[in-house]
Amino acid sequence: MDEKYLNLTEADEESMIQREFDALLQDYAATRHTQKTEIIKRAFDFAKSAHHGVRRRSGEPYIMHPLAVARIVVKEIGLGSTSICSALLHDVVEDTDYTVEDIEERFGPKIAQIVSGLTKISGGIFGEKASEQAENFRRLILTMPEDVRVILIKMADRLHNMRTLGSMPPAKQLKISGETQYIYAPLAARLGFFLIKTELENLSFKYEQPSVYAKIQEQVDAVTPRLEESYLRFIGPIKQILDSYNYKYTITYRVKSPYSIFRKMQNKHIPFDEVYDLLAVRIILKPRPDEDERANCWVTYSALTSLYKEHPDRTRNWLSTPKPNGYEALHVTLMNHEGNWVEVQIRTERMNEIAEHGLAAHWKYKTGTSELSNLDSWFKSLKDMLDTADYANAVEFMDTFRLNLYASEIYVFTPKGDIKKMPVKSTALDFAFALHSDIGLHCIGAKVDHKLVPLTYELKSGDQVEILTSKTQRPQPDWIDIVTMPRAKAHLRAVFRKEYRIVQEKGKKAVEDELAKLNMPLNNVTTTRIIEHYKFNTITEFYNAVGRGLVDLSDITTVMFQTKNPSKWTKMWKLQFGKKNESVETDPKKKKKVVLTDTNVGQGYTLAECCHPIPGDPVLGYLDEYGTVLVHKRECPVALKLKSNYGNRIVTAEWATHNVKSFLAMIEINGIDERGVLQKIVTVVSEDYAINIKSVHLEAKDGIFTAQFGVYVHSADDLNVLCANLRKVPFVNSVVRIS
């Protein structure tokens, strides 16, 4: 509990709540919305009464949370009275005895509908009943074109929860942060809320890797004064030339966020000192009513490129073809006087408002427009995709949804010259499905600009595509990897799942028949024994293999009656019949934290093969059904998925090793291919630091070498020291750790 709430009197609390509500009304009064304060006051009084006496984990009165969400809704998203009331009431049905009908009776059907939608997805995208939660979220997505305010208020709710995440236990912080980074930040980006997206990413990063976040923030703070001086020198000539055009404008700047810097360091394998594009400059034009705003942007672009050299591959034109979320701007990257690249964004005031606060906030509810926008089209395509097929589990559903969030567009032509908008990296097979699902299912090839291409051909803007079909063609299993569009994947999954079920039932029947000969039932105990022997991950995979004739069941008698050593099978047998195994703790609520020592590696915990964590790395644990904790680095993509989909099995993990055991780590070294450089590197590793080398892979081309070393170290600190000293070797350019 936060100490500042410990000694508050009831009068103090009332005063604090009233101040927050008054601030909400001030935020609302500053908008252009028609002022409907009476219904907002009624909603506040109702929510305050419903949550009376309830406190958040921090100790503050619960009503402070709905008030904070309502302020985000009006001030940062730009919604009106209906959304404010819905935000104030969003937890009433979930947390009190009031029903949706009670809300409708007091506040009308629209607010009740929004509150109902918010109640369905309470507790996050993935609750303990994952498949049920996914279905609720699916229903929510299907309602988005009718009332997008549900998802916008949910986004505000998540933002405030992230801002107050410090009061939650560590394992809960990791679950919520992972879920936020996995879906809410991309969703904010897709809906055009850049500021919210950036804040969600940074807050997630702060709680997932606090030490890394703090270090980068410290480095940013240290260089900010220098960046500000560079900014002033850079914009001086720009202001002079814009003033000569009699343009009205403002120029601002921003420094890359810690998370954005971290991602660049990871993707490029570079240290902080080599992130040169820390500064981004924004020019916001204020054209007169009689001026063409796009023309002003292009004139400004021309002026900038006459002053500074532009990067030939980093100019982005979102004026002619805005992003699906409505974003319009010109981006150009210029070389400043210090020899560093600076990204400049050129926008008008109208474009900037949409870029900062999102098109969805201005869509229909403020303008009353009925014309189909890019965002409408995205919602429609999303709905079509979700209507197409069922989903086996929550993870599959959310993966498909995320693919749709990240899609960017290209423009291709049909043989008749019609334009089709397609996601970047779409294949010829994707285009076939985009035309019609039957065309996709019977596609045998394609012609691009009258030349025959394979189904795997990646489309480019401007391609003219003709699809070739055959009635005898059937979808092939590898097609699921060829298509990139979620809708196409959904169609194929539906077809394959139907075929899979038929084969699976055939395999299951064969196993039942074999067990019947032994007078044994088909249940959890026997199936666990079988899949362990035949080395399959799941029983459904085993049934499928049997159904396809890939497994010989002739030795099943031996499988069921052989002598067994204690194993995972023994544990499962005991669990099935209620015999407690004292050595196995599988309840995450009881096992809150695991301490990683030299003695329990391989027993109490296992190090993940995907990211190879070593002592000192920020890590988390995933508790499997056998009581073993699988340890991942926190930034590991697999860990992100686990946090999002299985948050209730995430446990905190702490290193307590004593440099007794060595751990494998991989480093990559790049440099100039001079004679003797490899010998010097090996000397530093094996002699100066007495570190054992497991493997070396070396490639050299055009005078540049790349070497990958597998080395055994005691901790991340040891590895960092080794990397720092390898960078001092002559002709070595960079040394980075890789997974």
Side-chain angles (χ1 to χ4, degrees):
M1 179 179 287
D2 196 318
E3 291 184 3
K4 67 182 179 181
Y5 299 116
L6 285 175
N7 300 316
L8 285 181
T9 65
E10 188 172 340
D12 291 334
E13 286 189 357
E14 284 294 323
S15 177
M16 177 179 65
I17 294 169
Q18 188 60 45
R19 283 197 304 272
E20 188 70 6
F21 181 62
D22 291 341
L24 170 63
L25 292 180
Q26 289 174 7
D27 292 338
Y28 180 53
T31 69
R32 293 192 293 246
H33 291 285
T34 302
Q35 298 295 295
K36 299 178 181 178
T37 55
E38 189 274 332
I39 192 171
I40 294 174
K41 289 177 180 177
R42 285 199 293 115
F44 166 65
D45 290 337
F46 184 77
K48 181 182 174 185
S49 174
H51 294 302
H52 180 71
V54 181
R55 297 183 179 279
R56 302 189 82 206
R57 185 179 286 268
S58 63
E60 71 175 350
Y62 193 88
I63 187 62
M64 295 295 288
H65 169 64
L67 278 168
V69 174
R71 290 194 68 186
I72 293 171
V73 160
V74 65
K75 190 174 183 179
E76 300 182 47
I77 298 180
L79 300 179
S81 59
T82 299
S83 300
I84 294 171
C85 292
S86 301
L88 289 169
L89 300 167
H90 78 274
D91 279 334
V92 168
V93 175
E94 175 70 17
D95 296 340
T96 75
D97 294 331
Y98 289 105
T99 64
V100 173
E101 289 72 23
D102 294 327
I103 301 294
E104 183 172 357
E105 182 182 338
R106 289 168 171 80
F107 301 99
K110 179 52 67 177
I111 291 175
Q113 177 191 351
I114 295 174
V115 171
S116 175
L118 289 162
T119 302
K120 286 178 182 177
I121 53 168
S122 62
I125 292 168
F126 291 94
E128 302 211 348
K129 300 177 180 177
S131 60
E132 180 182 320
Q133 189 64 35
E135 178 56 28
N136 285 337
F137 196 75
R138 180 176 178 272
R139 289 196 201 105
L140 169 74
I141 298 302
L142 293 176
T143 66
M144 283 172 70
E146 283 73 39
D147 208 322
V148 74
R149 288 175 288 190
V150 175
I151 202 67
L152 298 182
I153 296 168
K154 184 61 185 175
M155 196 163 61
D157 177 48
R158 176 50 58 109
L159 178 58
H160 184 249
N161 283 334
M162 288 300 298
R163 288 173 176 174
T164 57
L165 196 58
S167 59
M168 302 297 288
K172 194 78 170 177
Q173 289 176 352
L174 290 175
K175 174 194 180 298
I176 294 173
S177 295
E179 185 179 273
T180 299
Q181 194 175 67
Y182 188 75
I183 194 69
Y184 279 97
L187 183 58
R190 184 70 189 205
L191 295 177
F193 295 93
F194 174 78
L195 295 178
I196 291 177
K197 171 249 186 189
T198 301
E199 185 173 357
L200 288 175
E201 287 177 339
N202 275 322
L203 288 170
S204 297
F205 181 39
K206 177 181 178 181
Y207 286 104
E208 289 183 331
Q209 301 192 63
S211 60
V212 180
Y213 173 88
K215 182 178 180 181
I216 292 178
Q217 186 62 63
E218 182 182 337
Q219 291 171 313
V220 168
D221 292 341
V223 301
T224 295
R226 175 176 59 80
L227 292 175
E228 289 174 343
E229 293 176 5
S230 176
Y231 161 74
L232 293 174
R233 287 194 296 272
F234 179 74
I235 66 168
I238 297 174
K239 293 174 72 174
Q240 287 181 0
I241 198 167
L242 292 181
D243 288 342
S244 71
Y245 296 157
N246 292 320
Y247 278 3
K248 291 185 177 181
Y249 62 90
T250 57
I251 302 181
T252 61
Y253 75 94
R254 65 173 178 84
V255 178
K256 267 186 185 293
S257 67
Y259 178 74
S260 179
I261 294 170
F262 172 74
R263 292 302 305 162
K264 182 148 195 173
M265 291 167 63
Q266 294 292 305
N267 293 336
K268 300 287 187 180
H269 299 301
I270 57 175
F272 178 87
D273 293 340
E274 293 180 24
V275 180
Y276 296 119
D277 57 344
L278 291 171
L279 192 68
V281 174
R282 185 172 300 152
I283 300 174
I284 303 170
L285 302 171
K286 303 176 183 179
R288 289 184 287 271
D290 59 329
E291 292 180 330
D292 184 333
E293 61 175 4
R294 291 186 179 183
N296 284 12
C297 291
W298 282 111
V299 170
T300 302
Y301 164 82
S302 179
L304 293 177
T305 54
S306 70
L307 294 170
Y308 298 101
K309 295 293 184 183
E310 67 176 307
H311 194 298
D313 299 323
R314 288 170 64 178
T315 298
R316 300 289 181 265
N317 172 17
W318 283 302
L319 293 181
S320 305
T321 54
K323 289 185 178 182
N325 58 24
Y327 181 84
E328 295 176 78
L330 268 179
H331 289 197
V332 58
T333 301
L334 306 170
M335 180 72 76
N336 68 7
H337 297 300
E338 287 83 18
N340 294 327
W341 292 111
V342 179
E343 182 185 75
V344 181
Q345 302 168 357
I346 307 169
R347 309 171 181 167
T348 63
E349 281 188 314
R350 178 190 64 82
M351 298 173 189
N352 189 63
E353 185 178 5
I354 292 174
E356 294 292 325
H357 299 106
L359 180 65
H362 309 282
W363 172 54
K364 291 184 178 177
Y365 304 109
K366 289 175 69 174
T367 66
T369 181
S370 59
E371 67 182 52
L372 196 68
S373 68
N374 281 328
L375 194 64
D376 292 89
S377 300
W378 176 66
F379 283 139
K380 185 178 183 303
S381 68
L382 183 63
K383 187 171 181 176
D384 290 344
M385 179 268 293
L386 293 173
D387 276 336
T388 301
D390 60 335
Y391 292 87
N393 54 58
V395 180
E396 181 182 309
F397 167 74
M398 292 313 299
D399 279 349
T400 304
F401 182 65
R402 287 185 89 236
L403 278 174
N404 208 285
L405 286 179
Y406 281 117
S408 298
E409 278 74 25
I410 58 173
Y411 297 86
V412 296
F413 295 87
T414 67
K416 294 182 179 180
D418 296 329
I419 296 178
K420 290 285 184 181
K421 188 187 295 184
M422 301 285 293
V424 169
K425 296 187 180 300
S426 290
T427 62
L429 186 57
D430 280 309
F431 186 75
F433 277 99
L435 294 175
H436 195 281
S437 58
D438 284 342
I439 295 176
L441 295 173
H442 296 94
C443 177
I444 57 172
K447 288 184 178 179
V448 172
D449 297 332
H450 309 291
K451 295 179 181 178
L452 193 65
V453 298
L455 297 180
T456 55
Y457 174 83
E458 187 175 304
L459 301 175
K460 303 174 183 63
S461 274
D463 282 347
Q464 187 175 40
V465 187
E466 178 186 355
I467 298 299
L468 309 176
T469 61
S470 168
K471 292 181 179 180
T472 61
Q473 175 69 298
R474 291 185 55 78
Q476 303 302 310
D478 63 337
W479 284 14
I480 201 77
D481 297 318
I482 295 175
V483 295
T484 62
M485 291 174 59
R487 185 180 178 186
K489 285 185 181 289
H491 273 297
L492 289 170
R493 283 196 184 102
V495 172
F496 295 147
R497 189 168 288 126
K498 184 177 180 180
E499 295 177 352
Y500 191 85
R501 289 194 192 105
I502 295 171
V503 174
Q504 185 178 309
E505 286 299 319
K506 180 182 176 182
K508 183 178 181 182
K509 181 68 167 57
V511 175
E512 285 178 334
D513 291 345
E514 289 297 323
L515 289 176
K517 296 176 184 177
L518 305 174
N519 292 319
M520 299 188 76
L522 183 66
N523 56 28
N524 287 343
V525 175
T526 53
T527 55
T528 301
R529 184 82 171 272
I530 289 169
I531 63 173
E532 184 174 89
H533 173 81
Y534 287 102
K535 294 181 172 55
F536 280 84
N537 293 322
T538 66
I539 192 63
T540 54
E541 288 180 10
F542 178 68
Y543 289 152
N544 186 55
V546 173
R548 294 183 183 278
L550 303 176
V551 174
D552 181 8
L553 296 178
S554 60
D555 64 339
I556 201 163
T557 302
T558 306
V559 175
M560 299 314 300
F561 293 104
Q562 66 182 350
T563 303
K564 306 174 293 296
N565 292 322
S567 63
K568 287 191 291 186
W569 151 251
T570 310
K571 295 174 184 176
M572 283 299 295
W573 182 279
K574 290 182 178 180
L575 289 172
Q576 292 294 333
F577 291 93
K579 295 181 181 179
K580 187 174 181 182
N581 186 338
E582 298 294 340
S583 65
V584 180
E585 177 58 76
T586 60
D587 186 353
K589 294 180 180 178
K590 295 180 181 178
K591 195 163 188 173
K592 290 289 187 182
K593 182 172 71 175
V594 61
V595 178
L596 312 176
T597 68
D598 296 303
T599 56
N600 67 352
V601 61
Q603 300 171 9
Y605 71 91
T606 302
L607 301 177
E609 292 292 330
C610 52
C611 55
H612 296 290
I614 61 177
D617 287 335
V619 291
L620 57 81
Y622 168 73
L623 185 64
D624 69 15
E625 61 268 34
Y626 305 116
T628 300
V629 175
L630 188 61
V631 178
H632 288 267
K633 289 162 66 176
R634 290 191 181 181
E635 74 266 24
C636 172
V638 175
L640 174 62
K641 206 164 189 175
L642 290 174
K643 285 179 289 183
S644 304
N645 302 322
Y646 307 103
N648 60 322
R649 287 193 167 272
I650 297 299
V651 296
T652 53
E654 292 182 0
W655 295 105
T657 57
H658 298 89
N659 289 351
V660 174
K661 194 170 186 65
S662 295
F663 298 84
L664 180 64
M666 296 296 296
I667 58 175
E668 183 174 280
I669 306 172
N670 291 282
I672 299 172
D673 187 18
E674 285 288 326
R675 178 177 296 180
V677 66
L678 181 61
Q679 181 181 349
K680 292 174 184 176
I681 290 171
V682 172
T683 300
V684 170
V685 175
S686 60
E687 295 184 15
D688 295 359
Y689 288 90
I691 290 175
N692 290 329
I693 299 174
K694 180 189 178 184
S695 62
V696 178
H697 179 74
L698 179 68
E699 290 184 357
K701 185 178 180 181
D702 299 331
I704 302 297
F705 78 87
T706 299
Q708 293 182 350
F709 281 75
V711 295
Y712 287 102
V713 295
H714 294 302
S715 68
D717 288 340
D718 286 354
L719 188 62
N720 291 337
V721 170
L722 173 63
C723 290
N725 282 277
L726 285 172
R727 292 187 190 105
K728 298 176 183 178
V729 173
F731 304 112
V732 168
N733 182 55
S734 68
V735 183
V736 294
R737 178 183 174 187
I738 58 176
S739 296

